[in-house]
Amino acid sequence: MRGSECRGDLQPPAAGFIRFRAPFVPGEQERAREHPDEVRLPQKGEPWGDTAVAVAGVVRETVVMTLRIGYKASAEQFNPRQLVELAVQAEQVGLDSVMISDHFQPWRHTGGHAPFSMAWLAAVGERTERVLLGTSVMTPTFRYNPAVVAQAFGTLACLYPERVILGIGTGEALNEVAVSRMQWPEFKERFARMREAVALMRELWAGQRVTFEGDYYQTHNATVYDRPDRPVPVYIAAGGPVVARYAGRSGDGFICTSGKGADLYRDKLMPAVDEGLAAAGRADGSIDRMIEIKLSYDPDPRLALENTRFWAPLALTPEQKHGLSDPRQIEAASDALSIEQVASRWIVASDPETALAQIKPYLDLGFNHLVFHGPGHDQSRFLTSFASEVVPGLRALLSERLDH
């Protein structure tokens, strides 16, 4: 029934939704629509999921979203076929989501990759049944026109109902300058473009013959003919309180990355999300709080440390990477870093107790969707050991939180 969710007849969207338990079971969404009164809500100690089921009429039940454990597909490190197989394995070992970045250029020239995310998501959708799929993140404002992004994600959401999200950010010069020779704009313009892009995409998912007159984007009687009953959830990536506040006000999800100091999340990002929610009159549980956690986990301590080396560019300070937009320049600057600085952005662990002790603070901060990025070249080994040794403890931590 993959195509059955597509709004080919351009009917108005459903008026409400209910939320039900995770992990997803194939066919559960369809059954819930046909027999909403029979949906079994989770009991105490069972995990809640954040899949929304469209139900014509009123909102029947709203729940606080809790833990989801995901996998970050390293698009800058592996070719598209390898990455598809790893996404399939992520579902097989029991993870709940698979996210991919959307780079035109990788951080490294030597051994780097940059597959086209939207084609890759379609390939993974055909090979999987239940994992949530999305970008973390894409920039729908420069090399992509947001109307075309709305069309692409409308198609993906029709193909894989209730399984697609669009994660977006304000962009990086690395990916945009190479295809445009543009002068990279300041944050104010990049943020304004993102807000306008979100408004346009949502209008295209909600209506037809859309004429949009923005400062940066315009459409004339535009229609996305293949789109889901519910607009594609838009997750907003933020590294500071200004965009985090916008995520709380307007996003379906909020995305940030780990390893930047607890005070950033505790004192700036999460309070800003809450401020945005309050300003918009939204409940705390109405937004998915996602964080990409950089975890170098391997039973061999030497490998756990050395595996971080490929991702040295992530450890460059703003001063060290200022003005760099060529992968070769970034690679050279990264290779000059000590292994200590390289590993500083990562949780490096060789036993589940050490890993869980460093993951738990993110749960305590209020994140409910943890997407794990492993840096090593043997991702199959990472997925197997992570799922068998670390994930059970994460599920137990969730149960403890629900019980209290």
Side-chain angles (χ1 to χ4, degrees):
M1 298 181 66
R2 276 178 170 160
S4 65
E5 302 301 325
C6 187
R7 192 192 303 171
D9 56 358
L10 298 173
Q11 295 299 311
F17 60 89
I18 60 176
R19 298 187 188 277
F20 61 98
R21 64 187 179 86
F24 310 139
V25 177
E28 187 168 5
Q29 293 95 328
E30 289 80 5
R31 289 195 300 273
R33 284 193 180 82
E34 295 169 1
H35 307 286
D37 293 330
E38 297 178 7
V39 174
R40 185 185 73 80
L41 298 177
Q43 304 301 309
K44 186 176 181 180
E46 293 183 326
W48 287 97
D50 73 346
T51 290
V53 180
V55 178
V58 299
V59 174
R60 294 178 49 82
E61 185 77 18
T62 301
V63 304
V64 176
M65 291 178 283
T66 56
L67 185 67
R68 169 172 281 155
I69 302 172
Y71 172 63
K72 179 64 180 289
S74 298
E76 300 84 355
Q77 190 175 6
F78 299 98
N79 70 50
R81 174 55 58 195
Q82 288 176 299
L83 216 55
V84 166
E85 300 304 325
L86 291 169
V88 171
Q89 184 180 355
E91 179 175 86
Q92 291 172 342
V93 299
L95 301 188
D96 308 313
S97 64
V98 175
M99 299 291 130
I100 186 171
S101 59
D102 182 74
H103 276 228
F104 184 80
Q105 298 190 119
W107 296 109
R108 285 184 172 276
H109 178 72
T110 305
H113 294 273
F116 185 56
S117 68
M118 289 179 276
W120 184 86
L121 286 168
V124 175
E126 288 299 311
R127 293 283 307 281
T128 56
E129 294 292 336
R130 59 171 184 81
V131 285
L132 185 71
L133 301 171
T135 49
S136 183
V137 294
M138 164 186 283
T139 303
T141 51
F142 293 106
R143 71 187 192 276
Y144 300 131
N145 184 298
V148 177
V149 174
Q151 180 192 25
F153 274 79
T155 296
L156 287 168
C158 286
L159 290 169
Y160 315 112
E162 315 290 357
R163 295 181 55 202
V164 174
I165 68 102
L166 170 60
I168 64 171
T170 58
E172 295 170 313
L174 171 73
N175 299 306
E176 312 300 334
V177 173
V179 298
S180 65
R181 303 181 76 174
M182 67 185 297
Q183 182 69 35
W184 188 236
E186 296 297 322
F187 168 76
K188 182 178 180 181
E189 179 183 333
R190 302 200 314 271
F191 185 32
R193 282 177 175 270
M194 184 177 73
R195 297 195 307 271
E196 190 172 296
V198 171
L200 172 56
M201 290 187 294
R202 284 176 168 164
E203 285 197 29
L204 289 167
W205 289 326
Q208 50 186 306
R209 298 187 64 77
V210 174
T211 296
F212 187 92
E213 295 289 346
D215 294 329
Y216 304 101
Y217 312 107
Q218 296 82 38
T219 62
H220 177 69
N221 291 337
T223 301
V224 171
Y225 283 88
D226 294 287
R227 53 200 171 103
D229 287 336
R230 295 182 64 247
V232 177
V234 177
Y235 285 38
I236 308 296
V242 173
V243 182
R245 195 172 295 111
Y246 169 70
R249 188 170 66 250
S250 300
D252 299 293
F254 160 63
I255 302 175
C256 64
T257 58
S258 68
K260 297 182 177 180
D263 56 334
L264 173 66
Y265 312 105
R266 182 187 62 244
D267 302 334
K268 296 179 181 179
L269 294 183
M270 296 301 257
V273 171
D274 292 336
E275 289 169 14
L277 288 167
R282 305 174 68 193
D284 287 346
S286 62
I287 191 169
D288 193 20
R289 300 173 190 244
M290 178 193 296
I291 184 167
E292 288 186 11
I293 296 182
K294 303 183 190 315
L295 173 66
S296 187
Y297 183 82
D298 194 282
D300 183 335
R302 181 187 59 81
L303 284 177
L305 179 63
E306 192 56 38
N307 281 344
T308 64
R309 173 57 70 180
F310 184 88
W311 287 90
L314 300 182
L316 290 169
T317 65
E319 294 75 21
Q320 288 172 322
K321 62 184 177 183
H322 179 70
L324 302 182
S325 60
D326 187 315
R328 293 173 299 181
Q329 296 174 320
I330 296 173
E331 180 178 336
S334 302
D335 287 344
L337 300 180
S338 68
I339 190 63
E340 289 76 21
Q341 183 176 342
V342 170
S344 65
R345 285 294 308 278
W346 298 81
I347 295 173
V348 179
S350 298
D351 61 81
E353 293 76 20
T354 300
L356 290 168
Q358 296 182 70
I359 296 167
K360 184 177 182 294
Y362 294 108
L363 290 173
D364 295 339
L365 285 165
F367 291 101
N368 64 278
H369 190 165
L370 312 183
V371 176
F372 288 89
H373 177 192
H377 292 295
D378 191 344
Q379 290 283 291
S380 181
R381 175 184 171 97
F382 168 74
L383 282 167
T384 300
S385 59
F386 171 68
S388 63
E389 299 174 17
V390 179
V391 169
L394 278 178
R395 303 287 189 198
L397 285 175
L398 169 65
S399 295
E400 290 174 10
R401 291 179 64 196
L402 291 177
D403 289 341
H404 290 88

